Amino acid sequence: MDDPILGNTWMKKSTSVDFVPSKSTNVESGNSANVRSVYVDVGIDGRVFGTGDLSRRMHDALMVVAGRRRGVGGDGIDGGDDVDDGLMDLYLLYAMDASAKEAVKAAMDGYGYVIDLEKDEDMQDEGSWGRIDGVMLLDRDDDDDDDDDDDGGGSSSSSSGTTSRTIYPSFAEAIARGNWKPGTGYSFVVREVPARRKAIDLGALLRALDPDGKLHAEARERGIILPGEEEEDGVNSLRGLLSDCERRVRSAPYEVARDESEAHRGGSSKGYDVISRRALLANSRDADGTENRKTLLHVMDSLANHGCLIVDLTDGDESTDDAYIMSEMWKTTSHFFDKVVDGEDGDAASRLPPMHIAEGVGSSTAMVGYASFKDGDNQFLETRLRRSDGALLPLETSSIIGEDGVRSMVDAFRIMSDVGRDVVRIATAASSVEAGAFLTEGSAVASSPRGVGGGSSPSIAGLSFEEKVISGIVDEGLGSEFSEEDAARRAKILASDAAILLTEEIMDDGRPLIVGRDIEHDEGPVSMSPLRICRYSNNNVDKFSRRKMTSEVFGAHTDTSFVTIIPAAKVSGLEVFDEDSLKWFRPELKARRHAKTLDPGGDMEARFPWHCRYLVIVPGELLQLTSRNNIPAAVHRVVATTDAPRLSAPVLLRCRPGTRMDVERYMGSPTRAGGLLLDSNGMRMEDIHDALQSKQDA
């Protein structure tokens, strides 16, 4: 038997098989883009999925059928005494297996997958839909395990949230040796379950064809209910966006945190690779003003498929100034917690204001101050920049870290926010190009299936396309008569320019809005984007082995930010749920490996530690909005060991309050915006932010 992880719900790709499981996913069918076949391993927490109650109802139904076949009157449930013992065991086995299959179906649905077999009848026999690799009965007295000392294959194990219990290798063993009865819950692991991504349903297809909701509105006026109309809004509204994020947080496997040696460090996909800081700069775009295709593909692959992008601030050791500044920030962070937590400055904590609403930000959810959680295991200082002079709030911070420390924190904030702006520019521009948002009405490209609906050419920063030709921003050759290739290139230029506008006017980097911008704004004196310094401690020791444990210290969540920029830490612990591998990915381990290739002898350590080179960019809910749902807000968490506290200093790059979402200005033709963007069009950015604030960020 493999080593199963019991007691939690999780799902990951099987490593024991690698071929396509079903004939139904023929590439020639034309559905290969929407259907993805794999084998998966699934762990089911029986308490979460109610396997006890489910199996009781399943068994009762079987007894009704059995009773009717034997001519037993009434409901047949109490007729089990007349059933042969061998046949009764088969009924028990079927009830257990069928209940398990329903639980697996429900779990896989949460991950966006379905069991992939030609017919449901193919799954009726035990084991035909997956290989059981461990069963643990619930609600049993621990002493019961002492009666199972025969050599039938059970083994003792323990898992998070449970006491030590016997693990049976199959359902049959759980029935025979564990005396399982219907109504007793059980957790289990099943491997090699054939699976495929859920195909788009008719309601979702109609929503894709009707992004601005006109068709649905007209149908409602006529009293017609279209498919999907009776369901949730989906990701066609801010409410749908919030629901999608909450669903994906719930669906992420709550598995026991692994040690570094066992953690997922990334794969061979280009999206796992480290990208240079230089590649992201606006002046690294192609000469014609379009985004560099290689960079664009790397950024989108990393964010959309793996949940984060790793950036090398040194460009492969060609420029080390930013890494040095980040090293000064890390020294300041360590110095702060030495004084506040470890007592080097006895009254330091008392000099800091407690966490409270930050005045002058423009949002009732924006906080500033110091807080301690989990009996002092987790400490946070929420800081913000005063817009007029760049001062770090709360001002009391300077009494602990000094003016040089304040300067190092502000300089690090500038570096991180600038990188975040460039990443958002690239992702937003790429999504606008994909949507055909800047294609000219009547062009061959705009008339293609991607460009249904047309739309006039939007202006950028108050300049019409003709004015941009005169100014030299785009080529004169792109006049009123131009080819399909020219139209596509022009659309890419406009998409990139509009994305730059968005990063300058909507994203809050702590600086005042650029003078002369003719937009409505009332941004307030304090930045909406915090720099949060954190200290995570872990005192979890296994009560049986007394071994130090790696544990989750900040639970899975998404952030209400465009991106959260997390400087790689010396002590790894950031984990991002990788949508492609279905594993918790620890990007700091990938960065560490990259650093060893740059500096194998550690020669640069005297100037700055290896981790000061790297930033990890995690997409948030606001980027899911501006990327038209192409980049989901990443589900992430923090784990830590007992060896040393984990320090962190993320910037949550948020929206500039007092400005409004203007789809046409920043995102192109409203007819191609989609329901999600249109739902936010015209809203004040702080209202969009607050609408997504039903959960806590980190």
Side-chain angles (χ1 to χ4, degrees):
M1 184 177 70
D2 295 339
D3 181 23
I5 304 172
L6 281 170
N8 296 299
T9 297
W10 51 268
M11 175 175 150
K12 65 179 182 179
K13 290 182 181 178
S14 295
T15 57
S16 52
V17 288
D18 57 5
F19 52 90
V20 176
S22 173
K23 297 178 183 179
S24 65
T25 55
N26 190 332
V27 175
E28 295 179 358
S29 69
N31 294 324
S32 58
N34 296 324
V35 180
R36 182 178 178 184
S37 294
V38 292
Y39 278 95
V40 297
D41 299 340
V42 183
I44 294 294
D45 183 340
R47 292 184 178 88
V48 173
F49 287 88
T51 51
D53 181 65
L54 185 62
S55 62
R56 178 190 293 110
R57 289 187 283 117
M58 190 74 69
H59 186 263
D60 288 349
L62 289 173
M63 290 299 96
V64 169
V65 175
R68 289 173 180 170
R69 287 178 176 175
R70 298 191 313 276
V72 178
D75 58 15
I77 293 176
D78 297 325
D81 293 339
D82 297 330
V83 180
D84 179 78
D85 288 343
L87 188 58
M88 177 58 71
D89 285 344
L90 288 178
Y91 281 127
L92 291 173
L93 182 60
Y94 186 89
M96 199 173 194
D97 184 78
S99 303
K101 182 180 68 177
E102 293 303 313
V104 168
K105 282 182 178 180
M108 289 174 60
D109 182 76
Y111 290 102
Y113 280 77
V114 295
I115 295 180
D116 186 22
L117 288 175
E118 291 285 319
K119 297 177 294 184
D120 194 62
E121 288 78 12
D122 294 341
M123 296 185 289
Q124 297 308 310
D125 295 332
E126 190 224 8
S128 61
W129 54 276
R131 176 172 62 85
I132 301 301
D133 188 33
V135 184
M136 183 172 67
L137 304 185
L138 304 176
D139 301 319
R140 301 283 306 278
D141 293 330
D142 295 341
D143 292 338
D144 290 350
D145 294 339
D146 296 334
D147 298 330
D148 296 321
D149 292 334
D150 58 79
D151 57 356
S155 62
S156 181
S157 177
S158 64
S159 61
S160 177
T162 65
T163 56
S164 180
R165 301 182 187 280
T166 298
I167 296 178
Y168 302 97
S170 67
F171 291 143
E173 287 289 321
I175 293 169
R177 295 199 313 107
N179 196 30
W180 177 83
K181 299 296 183 184
T184 299
Y186 56 97
S187 299
F188 63 97
V189 171
V190 59
R191 303 195 186 275
E192 301 170 10
V193 179
R196 60 178 170 81
R197 288 194 183 277
K198 292 189 294 186
I200 189 170
D201 60 21
L202 183 56
L205 179 60
L206 284 173
R207 289 192 294 272
L209 295 175
D210 182 34
D212 58 3
K214 292 182 178 179
L215 176 62
H216 285 74
E218 182 178 349
R220 283 193 294 270
E221 289 178 1
R222 298 184 179 185
I224 300 172
I225 299 177
L226 295 176
E229 190 78 347
E230 70 284 353
E231 302 172 358
E232 291 288 332
D233 288 342
V235 191
N236 279 315
S237 65
L238 292 175
R239 184 182 68 177
L241 171 57
L242 179 59
S243 296
D244 176 68
C245 292
E246 291 175 337
R247 176 190 62 78
R248 288 187 295 104
V249 168
R250 290 194 303 269
S251 299
Y254 183 74
E255 62 185 29
V256 175
R258 300 173 182 270
D259 294 335
E260 281 192 359
S261 60
E262 300 175 334
H264 178 44
R265 299 164 179 254
S268 58
S269 161
K270 180 68 175 175
Y272 289 114
D273 289 348
V274 175
I275 195 169
S276 70
R277 170 68 182 103
R278 180 180 56 240
L280 303 173
L281 295 170
N283 60 16
S284 292
R285 293 180 297 171
D286 292 338
D288 62 359
T290 60
E291 297 292 343
N292 180 274
R293 178 173 173 77
K294 182 179 179 181
T295 297
L296 183 150
L297 292 176
H298 187 157
V299 169
M300 296 300 285
D301 185 8
S302 297
L303 298 180
N305 296 325
H306 308 305
C308 63
L309 174 72
I310 307 172
V311 179
D312 174 16
L313 291 173
T314 72
D315 296 330
D317 268 357
E318 292 183 15
S319 174
T320 59
D321 289 347
D322 284 355
Y324 176 75
I325 292 173
M326 295 303 297
S327 73
E328 293 299 304
M329 180 277 296
W330 279 117
K331 290 177 184 177
T332 300
T333 299
S334 179
H335 180 60
F336 173 84
F337 286 114
D338 286 344
K339 287 194 169 186
V340 172
V341 178
D342 294 337
E344 291 186 6
D345 185 343
D347 65 343
S350 64
R351 297 202 303 270
L352 293 169
M355 199 76 75
H356 61 281
I357 296 175
E359 295 182 9
V361 174
S363 171
S364 60
T365 61
M367 310 296 286
V368 69
Y370 177 75
S372 178
F373 302 98
K374 294 187 176 180
D375 297 325
D377 280 353
N378 294 352
Q379 289 89 22
F380 302 95
L381 177 67
E382 189 97 341
T383 72
R384 296 175 185 274
L385 297 190
R386 191 161 60 194
R387 212 177 297 280
S388 60
D389 57 2
L392 190 70
L393 305 179
L395 293 174
E396 294 85 350
T397 306
S398 64
S399 70
I400 299 172
I401 62 176
E403 292 303 320
D404 289 343
V406 168
R407 189 175 303 108
S408 71
M409 302 302 289
V410 173
D411 289 345
F413 176 92
R414 299 295 188 202
I415 289 171
M416 289 189 277
S417 61
D418 286 348
V419 173
R421 279 177 43 170
D422 283 330
V423 171
V424 171
R425 181 200 83 239
I426 294 168
T428 301
S431 300
S432 291
V433 169
E434 175 69 13
F438 289 92
L439 292 172
T440 302
E441 185 178 10
S443 71
V445 180
S447 301
S448 68
R450 277 298 298 172
V452 173
S456 60
S457 170
S459 64
I460 301 299
L463 295 180
S464 68
F465 180 66
E466 289 72 20
E467 290 168 328
K468 290 174 74 67
V469 171
I470 295 172
S471 67
I473 295 177
V474 296
D475 294 341
E476 186 175 359
L478 302 183
S480 58
E481 301 280 340
F482 51 91
S483 67
E484 179 177 334
E485 181 180 350
D486 289 335
R489 182 164 69 92
R490 169 182 175 274
K492 292 177 182 178
I493 296 169
L494 295 177
S496 183
D497 287 347
I500 290 175
L501 271 190
L502 181 142
T503 63
E504 292 176 344
E505 298 178 354
I506 292 293
M507 297 175 66
D508 195 342
D509 61 359
R511 300 180 177 94
L513 185 68
I514 298 173
V515 175
R517 293 298 170 91
D518 186 22
I519 62 171
E520 179 184 342
H521 72 284
D522 180 19
E523 58 192 5
V526 179
S527 172
M528 185 74 167
S529 302
L531 167 60
R532 179 180 299 160
I533 59 175
C534 319
R535 185 181 190 266
Y536 302 100
S537 301
N538 175 20
N539 299 308
N540 189 15
V541 176
D542 184 86
K543 64 181 180 181
F544 296 106
S545 67
R546 309 307 301 172
R547 183 175 63 88
K548 295 179 179 180
M549 300 284 287
T550 300
S551 303
E552 181 181 271
V553 291
F554 200 106
H557 62 284
T558 59
D559 288 345
T560 305
S561 61
F562 284 99
V563 287
T564 299
I565 307 101
I566 305 168
K570 179 180 180 180
V571 178
S572 75
L574 169 67
E575 291 195 337
V576 181
F577 186 62
D578 187 328
E579 299 276 357
D580 188 63
S581 69
L582 300 179
K583 296 179 181 178
W584 286 105
F585 171 36
R586 203 173 298 183
E588 285 155 328
L589 299 182
K590 183 75 174 180
R592 185 188 299 171
R593 181 184 301 172
H594 184 268
K596 288 183 178 180
T597 66
L598 292 178
D599 186 24
D603 298 331
M604 293 295 293
E605 287 286 320
R607 179 166 170 76
F608 52 79
W610 69 267
H611 62 95
C612 300
R613 304 170 183 268
Y614 302 102
L615 300 179
V616 181
I617 314 300
V618 177
E621 294 155 16
L622 296 174
L623 185 58
Q624 185 168 348
L625 171 68
T626 64
S627 72
R628 305 164 192 263
N629 207 42
N630 285 315
I631 298 175
V635 177
H636 55 291
R637 67 179 186 176
V638 179
V639 302
T641 69
T642 59
D643 294 331
R646 169 182 166 81
L647 301 183
S648 185
V651 168
L652 284 79
L653 198 54
R654 290 176 170 161
C655 46
R656 192 183 296 273
T659 55
R660 293 185 182 273
M661 172 56 72
D662 185 336
V663 167
E664 188 168 4
R665 183 177 181 85
Y666 305 122
M667 316 296 295
S669 173
T671 61
R672 299 187 190 139
L676 176 58
L677 274 175
L678 290 179
D679 187 51
S680 65
N681 194 25
M683 288 181 64
R684 297 170 70 89
M685 292 306 299
E686 62 267 33
D687 293 335
I688 294 174
H689 175 271
D690 290 351
L692 299 171
Q693 279 291 295
S694 69
K695 77 273 173 299
Q696 186 174 358
D697 295 333

mmCIF file of all heavy atoms in Angstrom, residues 88-114:
data_model
loop_
_atom_site.group_PDB
_atom_site.id
_atom_site.type_symbol
_atom_site.label_atom_id
_atom_site.label_comp_id
_atom_site.label_asym_id
_atom_site.label_seq_id
_atom_site.Cartn_x
_atom_site.Cartn_y
_atom_site.Cartn_z
ATOM 1 N N MET A 88 -25.049 -10.176 2.168
ATOM 2 C CA MET A 88 -25.074 -8.967 2.996
ATOM 3 C C MET A 88 -23.737 -8.244 2.916
ATOM 4 O O MET A 88 -23.692 -7.010 2.852
ATOM 5 C CB MET A 88 -25.386 -9.333 4.450
ATOM 6 C CG MET A 88 -25.359 -8.123 5.391
ATOM 7 S SD MET A 88 -26.529 -6.830 4.900
ATOM 8 C CE MET A 88 -28.079 -7.648 5.312
ATOM 9 N N ASP A 89 -22.641 -8.995 2.904
ATOM 10 C CA ASP A 89 -21.323 -8.363 2.771
ATOM 11 C C ASP A 89 -21.206 -7.626 1.446
ATOM 12 O O ASP A 89 -20.579 -6.556 1.364
ATOM 13 C CB ASP A 89 -20.213 -9.409 2.887
ATOM 14 C CG ASP A 89 -19.996 -9.859 4.320
ATOM 15 O OD1 ASP A 89 -20.471 -9.162 5.239
ATOM 16 O OD2 ASP A 89 -19.334 -10.909 4.505
ATOM 17 N N LEU A 90 -21.799 -8.199 0.401
ATOM 18 C CA LEU A 90 -21.765 -7.520 -0.894
ATOM 19 C C LEU A 90 -22.565 -6.219 -0.848
ATOM 20 O O LEU A 90 -22.160 -5.196 -1.418
ATOM 21 C CB LEU A 90 -22.323 -8.445 -1.985
ATOM 22 C CG LEU A 90 -21.439 -9.618 -2.393
ATOM 23 C CD1 LEU A 90 -22.136 -10.481 -3.438
ATOM 24 C CD2 LEU A 90 -20.105 -9.112 -2.948
ATOM 25 N N TYR A 91 -23.726 -6.245 -0.154
ATOM 26 C CA TYR A 91 -24.512 -5.024 -0.010
ATOM 27 C C TYR A 91 -23.730 -3.961 0.768
ATOM 28 O O TYR A 91 -23.758 -2.776 0.438
ATOM 29 C CB TYR A 91 -25.838 -5.321 0.693
ATOM 30 C CG TYR A 91 -26.901 -5.934 -0.206
ATOM 31 C CD1 TYR A 91 -27.551 -7.108 0.150
ATOM 32 C CD2 TYR A 91 -27.253 -5.308 -1.391
ATOM 33 C CE1 TYR A 91 -28.527 -7.672 -0.661
ATOM 34 C CE2 TYR A 91 -28.229 -5.857 -2.217
ATOM 35 C CZ TYR A 91 -28.860 -7.044 -1.853
ATOM 36 O OH TYR A 91 -29.818 -7.582 -2.669
ATOM 37 N N LEU A 92 -23.047 -4.397 1.821
ATOM 38 C CA LEU A 92 -22.236 -3.460 2.586
ATOM 39 C C LEU A 92 -21.131 -2.868 1.730
ATOM 40 O O LEU A 92 -20.860 -1.649 1.760
ATOM 41 C CB LEU A 92 -21.638 -4.160 3.812
ATOM 42 C CG LEU A 92 -22.605 -4.561 4.923
ATOM 43 C CD1 LEU A 92 -21.874 -5.389 5.977
ATOM 44 C CD2 LEU A 92 -23.237 -3.336 5.563
ATOM 45 N N LEU A 93 -20.471 -3.735 0.960
ATOM 46 C CA LEU A 93 -19.380 -3.275 0.115
ATOM 47 C C LEU A 93 -19.886 -2.296 -0.949
ATOM 48 O O LEU A 93 -19.264 -1.246 -1.206
ATOM 49 C CB LEU A 93 -18.701 -4.466 -0.563
ATOM 50 C CG LEU A 93 -17.497 -4.156 -1.458
ATOM 51 C CD1 LEU A 93 -16.396 -3.475 -0.670
ATOM 52 C CD2 LEU A 93 -16.972 -5.440 -2.109
ATOM 53 N N TYR A 94 -21.041 -2.598 -1.542
ATOM 54 C CA TYR A 94 -21.595 -1.711 -2.557
ATOM 55 C C TYR A 94 -21.975 -0.366 -1.935
ATOM 56 O O TYR A 94 -21.707 0.709 -2.524
ATOM 57 C CB TYR A 94 -22.821 -2.344 -3.217
ATOM 58 C CG TYR A 94 -23.345 -1.528 -4.372
ATOM 59 C CD1 TYR A 94 -22.875 -1.723 -5.657
ATOM 60 C CD2 TYR A 94 -24.291 -0.523 -4.154
ATOM 61 C CE1 TYR A 94 -23.338 -0.948 -6.715
ATOM 62 C CE2 TYR A 94 -24.758 0.247 -5.197
ATOM 63 C CZ TYR A 94 -24.284 0.022 -6.479
ATOM 64 O OH TYR A 94 -24.737 0.795 -7.512
ATOM 65 N N ALA A 95 -22.591 -0.371 -0.754
ATOM 66 C CA ALA A 95 -22.993 0.876 -0.099
ATOM 67 C C ALA A 95 -21.771 1.736 0.215
ATOM 68 O O ALA A 95 -21.783 2.958 0.030
ATOM 69 C CB ALA A 95 -23.776 0.569 1.174
ATOM 70 N N MET A 96 -20.710 1.113 0.689
ATOM 71 C CA MET A 96 -19.496 1.855 1.038
ATOM 72 C C MET A 96 -18.829 2.425 -0.203
ATOM 73 O O MET A 96 -18.434 3.590 -0.259
ATOM 74 C CB MET A 96 -18.535 0.933 1.780
ATOM 75 C CG MET A 96 -17.466 1.655 2.587
ATOM 76 S SD MET A 96 -16.505 0.500 3.596
ATOM 77 C CE MET A 96 -15.685 1.663 4.709
ATOM 78 N N ASP A 97 -18.706 1.578 -1.236
ATOM 79 C CA ASP A 97 -18.039 2.003 -2.467
ATOM 80 C C ASP A 97 -18.837 3.075 -3.198
ATOM 81 O O ASP A 97 -18.279 4.075 -3.661
ATOM 82 C CB ASP A 97 -17.837 0.789 -3.377
ATOM 83 C CG ASP A 97 -17.062 1.119 -4.636
ATOM 84 O OD1 ASP A 97 -15.822 1.239 -4.554
ATOM 85 O OD2 ASP A 97 -17.684 1.293 -5.706
ATOM 86 N N ALA A 98 -20.164 2.889 -3.296
ATOM 87 C CA ALA A 98 -20.998 3.859 -4.007
ATOM 88 C C ALA A 98 -21.017 5.200 -3.275
ATOM 89 O O ALA A 98 -21.001 6.266 -3.904
ATOM 90 C CB ALA A 98 -22.422 3.322 -4.158
ATOM 91 N N SER A 99 -21.024 5.168 -1.936
ATOM 92 C CA SER A 99 -20.976 6.418 -1.167
ATOM 93 C C SER A 99 -19.646 7.129 -1.387
ATOM 94 O O SER A 99 -19.596 8.354 -1.515
ATOM 95 C CB SER A 99 -21.173 6.130 0.320
ATOM 96 O OG SER A 99 -22.395 5.458 0.549
ATOM 97 N N ALA A 100 -18.568 6.349 -1.419
ATOM 98 C CA ALA A 100 -17.245 6.928 -1.662
ATOM 99 C C ALA A 100 -17.189 7.590 -3.028
ATOM 100 O O ALA A 100 -16.624 8.684 -3.194
ATOM 101 C CB ALA A 100 -16.172 5.845 -1.549
ATOM 102 N N LYS A 101 -17.777 6.932 -4.016
ATOM 103 C CA LYS A 101 -17.759 7.484 -5.373
ATOM 104 C C LYS A 101 -18.500 8.815 -5.419
ATOM 105 O O LYS A 101 -18.028 9.774 -6.045
ATOM 106 C CB LYS A 101 -18.406 6.504 -6.351
ATOM 107 C CG LYS A 101 -18.396 6.987 -7.803
ATOM 108 C CD LYS A 101 -19.054 5.967 -8.727
ATOM 109 C CE LYS A 101 -20.532 5.857 -8.451
ATOM 110 N NZ LYS A 101 -21.225 4.931 -9.371
ATOM 111 N N GLU A 102 -19.636 8.919 -4.718
ATOM 112 C CA GLU A 102 -20.379 10.184 -4.704
ATOM 113 C C GLU A 102 -19.578 11.284 -4.009
ATOM 114 O O GLU A 102 -19.594 12.446 -4.432
ATOM 115 C CB GLU A 102 -21.726 9.984 -4.011
ATOM 116 C CG GLU A 102 -22.702 9.082 -4.761
ATOM 117 C CD GLU A 102 -22.979 9.572 -6.172
ATOM 118 O OE1 GLU A 102 -23.237 10.783 -6.330
ATOM 119 O OE2 GLU A 102 -22.912 8.756 -7.111
ATOM 120 N N ALA A 103 -18.869 10.922 -2.947
ATOM 121 C CA ALA A 103 -18.037 11.915 -2.259
ATOM 122 C C ALA A 103 -16.917 12.405 -3.164
ATOM 123 O O ALA A 103 -16.601 13.600 -3.213
ATOM 124 C CB ALA A 103 -17.463 11.318 -0.976
ATOM 125 N N VAL A 104 -16.310 11.476 -3.906
ATOM 126 C CA VAL A 104 -15.236 11.856 -4.828
ATOM 127 C C VAL A 104 -15.785 12.743 -5.941
ATOM 128 O O VAL A 104 -15.148 13.724 -6.341
ATOM 129 C CB VAL A 104 -14.552 10.595 -5.406
ATOM 130 C CG1 VAL A 104 -13.631 10.963 -6.576
ATOM 131 C CG2 VAL A 104 -13.761 9.886 -4.327
ATOM 132 N N LYS A 105 -16.953 12.427 -6.457
ATOM 133 C CA LYS A 105 -17.575 13.270 -7.482
ATOM 134 C C LYS A 105 -17.748 14.703 -6.968
ATOM 135 O O LYS A 105 -17.440 15.681 -7.668
ATOM 136 C CB LYS A 105 -18.944 12.709 -7.880
ATOM 137 C CG LYS A 105 -18.922 11.520 -8.817
ATOM 138 C CD LYS A 105 -20.361 11.129 -9.145
ATOM 139 C CE LYS A 105 -20.432 9.975 -10.126
ATOM 140 N NZ LYS A 105 -21.839 9.605 -10.429
ATOM 141 N N ALA A 106 -18.253 14.827 -5.733
ATOM 142 C CA ALA A 106 -18.479 16.158 -5.170
ATOM 143 C C ALA A 106 -17.162 16.903 -4.979
ATOM 144 O O ALA A 106 -17.063 18.102 -5.270
ATOM 145 C CB ALA A 106 -19.220 16.036 -3.836
ATOM 146 N N ALA A 107 -16.141 16.205 -4.503
ATOM 147 C CA ALA A 107 -14.841 16.856 -4.306
ATOM 148 C C ALA A 107 -14.240 17.294 -5.626
ATOM 149 O O ALA A 107 -13.733 18.410 -5.765
ATOM 150 C CB ALA A 107 -13.896 15.903 -3.574
ATOM 151 N N MET A 108 -14.276 16.435 -6.637
ATOM 152 C CA MET A 108 -13.711 16.753 -7.940
ATOM 153 C C MET A 108 -14.458 17.908 -8.590
ATOM 154 O O MET A 108 -13.865 18.734 -9.295
ATOM 155 C CB MET A 108 -13.715 15.517 -8.832
ATOM 156 C CG MET A 108 -12.703 14.469 -8.414
ATOM 157 S SD MET A 108 -12.823 12.933 -9.377
ATOM 158 C CE MET A 108 -12.517 13.532 -11.027
ATOM 159 N N ASP A 109 -15.766 17.975 -8.361
ATOM 160 C CA ASP A 109 -16.539 19.087 -8.919
ATOM 161 C C ASP A 109 -16.031 20.419 -8.382
ATOM 162 O O ASP A 109 -15.963 21.416 -9.116
ATOM 163 C CB ASP A 109 -18.018 18.908 -8.569
ATOM 164 C CG ASP A 109 -18.882 20.018 -9.156
ATOM 165 O OD1 ASP A 109 -19.146 20.006 -10.370
ATOM 166 O OD2 ASP A 109 -19.296 20.913 -8.390
ATOM 167 N N GLY A 110 -15.642 20.440 -7.106
ATOM 168 C CA GLY A 110 -15.093 21.660 -6.537
ATOM 169 C C GLY A 110 -13.789 22.076 -7.178
ATOM 170 O O GLY A 110 -13.441 23.254 -7.198
ATOM 171 N N TYR A 111 -13.044 21.111 -7.714
ATOM 172 C CA TYR A 111 -11.798 21.411 -8.408
ATOM 173 C C TYR A 111 -12.007 21.665 -9.898
ATOM 174 O O TYR A 111 -11.045 21.920 -10.624
ATOM 175 C CB TYR A 111 -10.804 20.254 -8.246
ATOM 176 C CG TYR A 111 -10.254 20.094 -6.859
ATOM 177 C CD1 TYR A 111 -10.748 19.100 -6.022
ATOM 178 C CD2 TYR A 111 -9.258 20.925 -6.379
ATOM 179 C CE1 TYR A 111 -10.253 18.943 -4.743
ATOM 180 C CE2 TYR A 111 -8.752 20.777 -5.100
ATOM 181 C CZ TYR A 111 -9.249 19.776 -4.289
ATOM 182 O OH TYR A 111 -8.753 19.633 -3.022
ATOM 183 N N GLY A 112 -13.258 21.567 -10.375
ATOM 184 C CA GLY A 112 -13.521 21.795 -11.788
ATOM 185 C C GLY A 112 -13.326 20.566 -12.644
ATOM 186 O O GLY A 112 -13.123 20.679 -13.859
ATOM 187 N N TYR A 113 -13.406 19.360 -12.054
ATOM 188 C CA TYR A 113 -13.209 18.112 -12.792
ATOM 189 C C TYR A 113 -14.417 17.193 -12.604
ATOM 190 O O TYR A 113 -15.191 17.343 -11.660
ATOM 191 C CB TYR A 113 -11.954 17.382 -12.304
ATOM 192 C CG TYR A 113 -10.666 17.922 -12.866
ATOM 193 C CD1 TYR A 113 -10.105 19.100 -12.379
ATOM 194 C CD2 TYR A 113 -9.999 17.272 -13.893
ATOM 195 C CE1 TYR A 113 -8.926 19.607 -12.886
ATOM 196 C CE2 TYR A 113 -8.817 17.762 -14.415
ATOM 197 C CZ TYR A 113 -8.287 18.925 -13.908
ATOM 198 O OH TYR A 113 -7.112 19.426 -14.427
ATOM 199 N N VAL A 114 -14.546 16.235 -13.518
ATOM 200 C CA VAL A 114 -15.544 15.175 -13.389
ATOM 201 C C VAL A 114 -14.858 13.842 -13.639
ATOM 202 O O VAL A 114 -13.809 13.775 -14.290
ATOM 203 C CB VAL A 114 -16.711 15.353 -14.395
ATOM 204 C CG1 VAL A 114 -17.501 16.603 -14.094
ATOM 205 C CG2 VAL A 114 -16.195 15.377 -15.830
#
